[in-house]
Each structure stands twice: as structure tokens, then as C-alpha cells.
């Protein structure tokens, strides 16, 4: 039997992270050039030898049973088997490869869940719809993060720009112009569960200040949706800056991210902010045009480990020129 492969993109939250956990909206896009690939290869001999898992970037090379109980790979396989009503693990190897770093604000756990669920159900002979995929990936995210909003698994499952509110079906969005984002890695690994958990602890102690920030974020995210759809690039950038201000007030930025944001703005970016959980990981900047080389140079000089172009185009199948 030939190997089966499924790919899932990385994701980028443009506006609304953290507030989205509390029921406010977020706007997110897939990152087409960065993906995670899951491959299933059947093993004929020895018979009934079970499932083995290899994921070099995560230092995993072991039988399925040896994975930690809450590991997203294990959770993804279990939810898929349960969904399909299948009890027995196939004799096969599941291999995971990604071309973007884990724990950096690009939604690696959602990409992992989506790619594994897709390849596993295909391997077992079942096709899966996007809403089913999204529901199962959310279950995996819940075991990995605790209280995820669901934005990561939604944008990765549907693989298109979305408007997202917790508990509702995501709304696909069409940009009104070509947006040229860049994302830069601060090089600092961070835990989303930790930053979400710490904010929740502070919210339990005193919600007034945090709720005020979230309401401002919700307002600017709604305006961001209009600017995105009507193609007002500069306005969208201003809203990214306002979002960063609120995230910094919430204590979710750090000197390395601040340095990258400042470098992007100094070079003429329309906007710059952290993306995802914060306290490290990636930041996102919005270039006024498709010419992003000067921003890359400035971001590398300011300490970025890598810089990636993320074009979000009005007509993705067509020409990317302005
Ligand atoms: O850091 P990431 O890629 O896991 O993104 C987390 C986004 C949050 O809004 C902070 C959490 C969530 O569940 O939406």
C-alpha cells in the first residue's frame, strides 16, 4: 500500500488573540508556505505490530502506546478512532514533519491535530468534512491547551482567512486588496497554555482592567474586519498597532518582540504586533507593498531568527502583483 499524506498549514492571528478566549472576535489567516505533513505508511510484517510514531522535531520515535497521555498526536488518533467507531490501531508508521517551529505562536498544535486526523481517517478509508475535522481538532486542542478558543483549529481546518467567535461557525473572509504581511521569529519558545493560564488567573483576581482591554481589542478587531474586506491596508496596520498596545498593557509582549515591532515600524511598516500567545514566538508586520526586502533586513538586524513572507491575496489563484 502506498504511503498516504495530509498537510495542514500554520496559522497567523492578525487581530484579537487572547480576547478571543473570552468570547470576543478574532481575525486569522493560514500561512500557505509553512505546513505540517503527516504521513501514514502501512506495515505488512510483522502482522499486528501496531502503530509507531516518528516526529523528529519533537524527539519522538516510539510505539503509539509510549506517547504521553495528553500528547496531541495521541489525542488526535484517539478522537479519530472514536469518531469512526474503530477500536483497533492499524499496523503502520505515522511520521510527522513540519517546516515551521513548534511553540512559536503559529498554531503548531492545531496543524498537528488537523494533519493527523486527516491522514488517519483517509488511511482507514473514511473521508472527513471540514466541520467534522474542525470539531475533532478542537477536542485535541482542548486536551493540549485546556481552554482554547478554537480559532487555531478553525483557520487550519478551513485553510482560508476567517472571522472567528468562540462557539460559532467560522465565517470565511475575502480580503479587499493584496495584504503583504511578514512574520518574524523572536527565537523565544513560549507556552500558550502558560500565557492563557496566567491571564485567566489575573482575570479571576481582578477582571475590570483585563475586560476593559478585551473590549478595546474587540472594537478594533471589528473595525479590522471592515478594513480587511474593503482593502484599507493602512487602516488595518493602524489597528494592528492599537491591538499591540492593548496586548502590551496586558503584559503579553516582551523586550525582544518590542524590538522587532519597533524595527518594522521604523522601516515604514503600516503596523506591527505580536501574534498568538505572546511573551515570545512570532510577531507580524504589515508591509505597504509587495516589496518586503527592506523589512526583512531590518527585522534580522533587530534579532529575528527568521522572517517569512505571508501574502494574503485578493485573488490567491491569480497574479500576485499590485
Ligand atoms: O500561540 P498560539 O499559536 O497557540 O495561539 C494562541 C491564541 C490564543 O488566543 C492566545 C489562545 C486561543 O485559544 O485562542
Amino acid at each position: 500500500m502506498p504511503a498516504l499524506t495530509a498537510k495542514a498549514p500554520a496559522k497567523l492571528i492578525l487581530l484579537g488573540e487572547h480576547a478571543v478566549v473570552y468570547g470576543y472576535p478574532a481575525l486569522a489567516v493560514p500561512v500557505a508556505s509553512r505546513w505540517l505533513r503527516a504521513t501514514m505508511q502501512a506495515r505488512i510484517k510483522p502482522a499486528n505490530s501496531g502503530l509507531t510514531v516518528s516526529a523528529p522535531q519533537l524527539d519522538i520515535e516510539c510505539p503509539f502506546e509510549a506517547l504521553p497521555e495528553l500528547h496531541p498526536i495521541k489525542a488526535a488518533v484517539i478522537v479519530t478512532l472514536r469518531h469512526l467507531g474503530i477500536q483497533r490501531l492499524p499496523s503502520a508508521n505515522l511520521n510527522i514533519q513540519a517546516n515551521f517551529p513548534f511553540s512559536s505562536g503559529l498554531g503548531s498544535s492545531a496543524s498537528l491535530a488537523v494533519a493527523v486526523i486527516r491522514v488517519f481517517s483517509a488511511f482507514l478509508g473514511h473521508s472527513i468534512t471540514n466541520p467534522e475535522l474542525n470539531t475533532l481538532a478542537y477536542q485535541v486542542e482542548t486536551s493540549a491547551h485546556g481552554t482554547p478558543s478554537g480559532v487555531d483549529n478553525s483557520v487550519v481546518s478551513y485553510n482560508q482567512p476567517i472571522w472567528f467567535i468562540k462557539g460559532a461557525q467560522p465565517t470565511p473572509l475575502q480580503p479587499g486588496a493584496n495584504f503583504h504581511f511578514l512574520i518574524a521569529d523572536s527565537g523565544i519558545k513560549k507556552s500558550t497554555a502558560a500565557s492563557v493560564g496566567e491571564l485567566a488567573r489575573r482575570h479571576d483576581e481582578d477582571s475590570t482592567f483585563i475586560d476593559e482591554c478585551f473590549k478595546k481589542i474587540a472594537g478594533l478587531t471589528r473595525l479590522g474586519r471592515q478594513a480587511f474586506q474593503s482593502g484599507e491596508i493602512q487602516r488595518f496596520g493602524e489597528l494592528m498597532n492599537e491591538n499591540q498596545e492593548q496586548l502590551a498593557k496586558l503584559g503579553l509582549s516582551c523586550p525582544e518582540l518590542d524590538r522587532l515591532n519597533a524595527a518594522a515600524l521604523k522601516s515604514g511598516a503600516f503596523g506591527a504586533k505580536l501574534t498568538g500567545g505572546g511573551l515570545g514566538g512570532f510577531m507580524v508586520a504589515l508591509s505597504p507593498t509587495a516589496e518586503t526586502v527592506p523589512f526583512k533586513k531590518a527585522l534580522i538586524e533587530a534579532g529575528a531568527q527568521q522572517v517569512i513572507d505571508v501574502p494574503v491575496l485578493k485573488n490567491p489563484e491569480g497574479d500576485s502583483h499590485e
Side-chain angles (χ1 to χ4, degrees):
M1 187 177 170
L4 276 182
T5 291
K7 258 182 171 184
K11 72 91 223 265
L12 173 61
I13 299 180
L14 295 176
L15 296 170
E17 54 273 271
H18 282 286
V20 70
V21 176
Y22 294 76
Y24 298 105
L27 203 161
V29 296
V31 179
S33 68
R34 292 297 181 273
W35 41 257
L36 182 144
R37 187 173 57 207
T39 305
M40 286 283 283
Q41 175 72 66
R43 210 175 321 97
I44 313 292
K45 286 180 186 166
N48 303 325
S49 55
L51 182 67
T52 53
V53 182
S54 56
Q57 278 140 303
L58 295 169
D59 275 333
I60 291 174
E61 179 76 61
C62 65
F64 175 77
E65 293 75 10
L67 287 172
E69 225 30 67
L70 293 178
H71 198 284
I73 299 178
K74 194 169 211 173
V77 170
I78 290 171
V79 298
T80 312
L81 287 175
R82 202 185 301 138
H83 175 71
L84 300 176
I86 293 173
Q87 256 125 47
R88 223 178 124 117
L89 284 168
S91 290
N93 180 258
L94 171 63
N95 176 265
I96 311 286
Q97 301 277 349
N99 70 353
F100 66 98
F102 287 76
S103 306
S104 303
L106 296 187
S108 53
S109 65
S111 311
L112 188 61
V114 166
V116 170
I117 295 166
R118 254 200 202 123
V119 79
F120 217 77
S121 47
F123 186 83
L124 295 170
H126 294 263
S127 63
I128 190 158
T129 63
N130 281 343
E132 282 172 332
L133 179 66
N134 194 21
T135 303
L136 296 180
Y138 183 65
Q139 290 170 16
V140 177
E141 286 279 84
T142 306
S143 60
H145 283 237
T147 54
S149 64
V151 63
D152 288 10
N153 49 276
S154 296
V155 67
V156 172
S157 295
Y158 287 88
N159 196 13
Q160 58 184 311
I162 58 163
W163 173 255
F164 178 85
I165 296 174
K166 194 173 177 176
Q169 281 297 316
T171 308
L173 291 186
Q174 178 72 27
N178 291 340
F179 285 77
H180 296 281
F181 296 101
L182 294 111
I183 54 175
D185 188 357
S186 68
I188 299 170
K189 294 278 178 200
K190 48 109 234 169
S191 152
T192 302
S195 65
V196 170
E198 171 59 15
L199 205 53
R201 192 191 57 73
R202 283 168 43 208
H203 189 263
D204 284 348
E205 264 173 31
D206 177 11
S207 61
T208 322
F209 171 72
I210 295 180
D211 283 338
E212 217 172 89
C213 293
F214 284 162
K215 282 191 184 125
K216 286 189 183 140
I217 292 174
L220 65 88
T221 301
R222 286 191 195 97
L223 294 172
R225 176 183 180 164
Q226 287 168 19
F228 184 80
Q229 290 180 299
S230 59
E232 295 163 77
I233 303 175
Q234 185 156 9
R235 177 72 185 128
F236 194 87
E238 287 162 10
L239 293 163
M240 287 168 66
N241 292 336
E242 286 177 29
N243 196 163
Q244 170 64 23
E245 227 172 85
Q246 297 304 319
L247 290 164
K249 272 194 198 166
L250 289 167
L252 294 161
S253 200
C254 63
E256 292 81 358
L257 286 168
D258 291 344
R259 204 160 38 240
L260 295 176
N261 289 339
L265 293 174
K266 196 165 165 227
S267 313
F270 279 160
K273 63 181 275 292
L274 67 86
T275 182
L279 293 173
F282 276 78
M283 55 73 75
V284 52
L286 177 55
S287 165
T289 68
E291 174 50 49
T292 56
V293 174
F295 294 107
K296 283 193 191 128
K297 204 166 158 277
L299 287 164
I300 294 286
E301 274 168 19
Q305 305 286 301
Q306 60 170 322
V307 184
I308 302 167
D309 277 297
V310 185
V312 177
L313 305 178
K314 198 174 165 184
N315 175 13
E317 307 306 325
D319 192 335
S320 66
H321 297 292
E322 302 296 285

